Amino acid sequence: MMKKLLITLAVVSTLSACATQNPNTVMIDGKEFQKDPNGVIHLSKSELNAITSEGGSTFVEGDVPDIKLTQTEYELVKTNQDAFFSLVGQANPDESVSMLVKPGSLKANLERLVSENNWNALYYEGPDLFISTPSILEAGNVPMATMSLIETDIAYPCIDEDEKVITVIKAE
């Protein structure tokens, strides 16, 4: 009997894992896998090795958050693997930042920037601003990414790189 490996963690296929027409299956690298009642797919060790050995798919340990993207956001992260991995808590371990900026609250995007890049805190005391279109933000580090996001005269970021804390205040 073939022993199956329970994948409660995640197989992330740089966005090539697609839902098929059947909501109870997932297509990964051209092969269809059946979900169990909890939505988990089961792979044998050899199936997992085959999927991950070619480099198109990556095994990610730990809980992976549900990601809800619009078609436009999906098209953007599909072109930037680092931004995608940042969404699932696997940001590039060096200082550089690649992230999906979502339409909506500047504060919410800054909270994601802090969280995805393992900074300690964001204190937001300034006015919240609306971001109208999604984009990929690439910067050399979190402070530079913060400055790029806040390009305005009504809010000002105070960045403590030693403590990894960002405070946004209303500009005087």
Side-chain angles (χ1 to χ4, degrees), residues 8-47:
T8 57
L9 306 174
V11 174
V12 178
S13 187
T14 1
L15 294 174
S16 67
C18 301
T20 60
Q21 300 231 344
N22 181 346
N24 295 318
T25 62
V26 170
M27 186 74 78
I28 301 175
D29 291 348
K31 185 171 180 188
E32 193 170 291
F33 293 91
Q34 187 73 33
K35 296 179 189 176
D36 72 10
N38 296 319
V40 175
I41 60 170
H42 299 265
L43 304 173
S44 68
K45 201 170 197 177
S46 62
E47 288 171 323

Side-chain angles (χ1 to χ4, degrees), residues 21-88:
Q21 300 231 344
N22 181 346
N24 295 318
T25 62
V26 170
M27 186 74 78
I28 301 175
D29 291 348
K31 185 171 180 188
E32 193 170 291
F33 293 91
Q34 187 73 33
K35 296 179 189 176
D36 72 10
N38 296 319
V40 175
I41 60 170
H42 299 265
L43 304 173
S44 68
K45 201 170 197 177
S46 62
E47 288 171 323
L48 178 62
N49 288 338
I51 289 171
T52 58
S53 68
E54 295 177 10
S57 302
T58 304
F59 182 69
V60 179
E61 276 196 59
D63 291 332
V64 176
D66 290 334
I67 302 172
K68 295 180 187 204
L69 302 172
T70 65
Q71 186 64 36
T72 303
E73 292 167 345
Y74 171 74
E75 294 300 326
L76 283 170
V77 296
K78 195 164 83 162
T79 64
N80 188 304
Q81 182 174 328
D82 289 336
F84 171 72
F85 280 109
S86 185
L87 284 171
V88 296

